[in-house]
Amino acid sequence: MKKIFLTVLFACCLLLGFAPPTEAGIISQQQEIEMGRETAMQLEAQYGVVQDEELQARVNRIGQKLVSVCGRQDIEYSFKVLNSNEVNALACPGGFIYVFKGLTDYMPTDAELAGVLGHEIGHVVEKHTVHQIEKQMLTTLVLLAVTRGEALGLVQMAQQALFAGYSRTDERGADKEGFYNTVKAGYNPYSMIITLNKLDDLAAQQGNPGYGLFSSHPEPEERVKRVMKLIDKLDVHPDVVIEDDDHAYVCEGDWRFNISRSIGSNKAKYRAYLLAGSLWTVRQRGVVNPDYFVVYDNGSYAHIYYDDIQLLTVYSQEAGAFGTAGNYAAACTDLLRQWAAVANTNDANAKAKKKK
């Protein structure tokens, strides 16, 4: 009876020229989950799921870590990688979230994937697709009244809403929710800055503004500015100084780490954001232990970690006089140990000032 009442209420509002409420509450949680599951099954049938257990487990691990701090805990979330080279991600109603294989290749770090998944979780938390479907239902009120809400065509509506894109307001809301979730979950605060910029780069390459992910009402510069304002509130250090796309450095006091080479889609400035944000995440754990910096040498490239936090990947083509990526990574690690001393001193001084 509640659904019939709401249906008649909406009809009256429309006939009398009044604006109906934007959040109708017509779709129950169970209906949301059911239409999300059906939509998810069709996506998997269309694209297939990548047969890579390690990749699937990694994406799910990142997603579930973000879910643990998100603003909606009344549903179960799933995260899978679809077998497509498209750089995209989708959040079906009910918590069924997908990234495409092309996106995991274009954004290889956990930080970047966290930025994307955090954004998609934001759409689920705020029920953006559900609210869009409820608005679509206003055009089919007669059918709803006759069928008592049983023949809603919800799956078809979910698909239409999913691929139609979101409003600017919804995108901003998902950005904000995603940003706070990535930070609370312990990921790089610059995660979403990097993803937004890299998607804008891809759009320019494709000659298609708003390509793929985050394509609705593209306003990348404004969205980056809004996320940067959120980062400023965190007082993130060390600082990032960008000279141009291919020259940037990370600094704190007199300490400086130069990054003067772009590698593929990873511009020098994005690599600087990854390093600076990761170092900020490191110091959130307390006193920085210089012995926790380690190098994993893979030949043509080497990963630098602090404990379980990936800081930077260096490559043989930037090794210069060091000869190999591993040797260069070792030199970088020595420089990062110098930063640890600077950071610990600065943090101790800041705490002392607060006590006074």
Side-chain angles (χ1 to χ4, degrees):
M1 291 299 293
K2 177 182 177 182
K3 289 187 175 66
I4 300 301
F5 172 77
L6 287 170
T7 298
V8 173
L9 173 63
F10 278 131
C12 291
C13 286
L14 291 173
L15 289 172
L16 294 174
F18 296 114
T22 57
E23 297 185 11
I26 294 177
I27 297 175
S28 69
Q29 178 178 299
Q30 187 57 39
Q31 285 176 315
E32 177 191 0
I33 294 171
E34 288 175 359
M35 67 179 174
R37 182 179 292 110
E38 288 293 327
T39 304
M41 290 172 60
Q42 292 187 21
L43 284 171
E44 292 185 24
Q46 179 179 353
Y47 295 103
V49 175
V50 172
Q51 299 303 306
D52 183 335
E53 292 184 5
E54 184 177 350
L55 177 61
Q56 296 287 359
R58 175 171 163 247
V59 170
N60 184 64
R61 170 178 54 78
I62 296 170
Q64 297 300 342
K65 191 173 181 180
L66 293 165
V67 165
S68 69
V69 297
C70 82
R72 186 180 181 193
Q73 303 285 331
D74 61 335
I75 57 175
E76 292 185 11
Y77 293 76
S78 68
F79 301 86
K80 294 182 181 180
V81 183
L82 294 176
N83 192 20
S84 170
N85 290 327
E86 185 177 348
V87 178
N88 208 347
L90 297 169
C92 301
F96 301 88
I97 296 175
Y98 292 93
V99 296
F100 290 65
K101 179 62 167 56
L103 185 139
T104 65
D105 294 335
Y106 189 60
M107 300 184 183
T109 67
D110 285 7
E112 292 168 274
L113 291 177
V116 172
L117 293 175
H119 177 93
E120 295 303 320
I121 292 169
H123 284 307
V124 177
V125 170
E126 300 296 331
K127 298 185 180 181
H128 289 151
T129 301
V130 172
H131 296 327
Q132 286 189 50
I133 296 169
E134 289 177 336
K135 291 175 183 178
Q136 291 179 37
M137 290 166 67
L138 297 179
T139 64
T140 57
L141 293 175
V142 175
L143 174 62
L144 288 171
V146 171
T147 62
R148 293 181 176 271
E150 296 300 324
L152 306 182
L154 290 181
V155 174
Q156 291 77 11
M157 288 184 177
Q159 291 175 332
Q160 291 176 8
L162 200 60
F163 290 100
Y166 300 99
S167 68
R168 291 190 179 191
T169 300
D170 286 353
E171 292 287 23
R172 291 170 185 172
D175 284 348
K176 188 174 183 179
E177 175 79 16
F179 171 78
Y180 284 122
N181 287 342
T182 55
V183 173
K184 285 189 290 185
Y187 287 106
N188 193 317
Y190 289 109
S191 295
M192 197 165 290
I193 291 294
I194 299 167
T195 60
L196 285 169
N197 275 295
K198 289 183 77 169
L199 289 167
D200 193 35
D201 292 342
L202 188 60
Q205 294 170 20
Q206 299 287 334
N208 177 17
Y211 174 86
L213 184 64
F214 304 157
S215 61
S216 309
H217 302 283
E219 47 171 5
E221 291 184 4
E222 289 302 315
R223 292 173 70 182
V224 166
K225 287 179 181 178
R226 280 192 288 272
V227 176
M228 275 297 192
K229 288 181 179 179
L230 297 176
I231 293 173
D232 289 342
K233 293 179 181 179
L234 297 178
D235 193 26
V236 174
H237 294 292
D239 299 312
V240 177
V241 179
I242 298 171
E243 297 175 329
D244 55 49
D245 284 353
D246 298 320
H247 298 85
Y249 60 89
V250 177
C251 61
E252 184 162 353
D254 294 330
W255 179 85
R256 176 166 168 161
F257 191 112
N258 291 312
I259 299 179
S260 300
R261 183 181 286 269
S262 298
I263 306 293
S265 63
N266 296 307
K267 293 180 178 179
K269 63 179 183 179
Y270 304 154
R271 300 177 70 203
Y273 283 136
L274 283 172
L275 177 59
S278 296
L279 292 178
W280 179 83
T281 303
V282 163
R283 74 199 307 170
Q284 301 314 299
R285 296 184 174 185
V287 176
V288 183
N289 188 331
D291 294 331
Y292 284 13
F293 291 99
V294 294
V295 172
Y296 297 97
D297 189 353
N298 291 287
S300 61
Y301 62 93
H303 298 304
I304 303 173
Y305 276 77
Y306 178 89
D307 196 15
D308 61 337
I309 300 175
Q310 184 175 349
L311 304 178
L312 186 68
T313 300
V314 299
Y315 301 84
S316 57
Q317 55 262 51
E318 61 182 326
F322 294 99
T324 68
N327 289 341
Y328 179 49
C332 291
T333 302
D334 288 339
L335 186 57
L336 291 171
R337 292 191 176 104
Q338 294 175 28
W339 167 80
V342 173
N344 288 335
T345 299
N346 288 344
D347 291 347
N349 290 338
K351 288 181 180 179
K353 287 182 179 180
K354 286 183 179 180
K355 289 182 179 180
K356 291 181 179 180

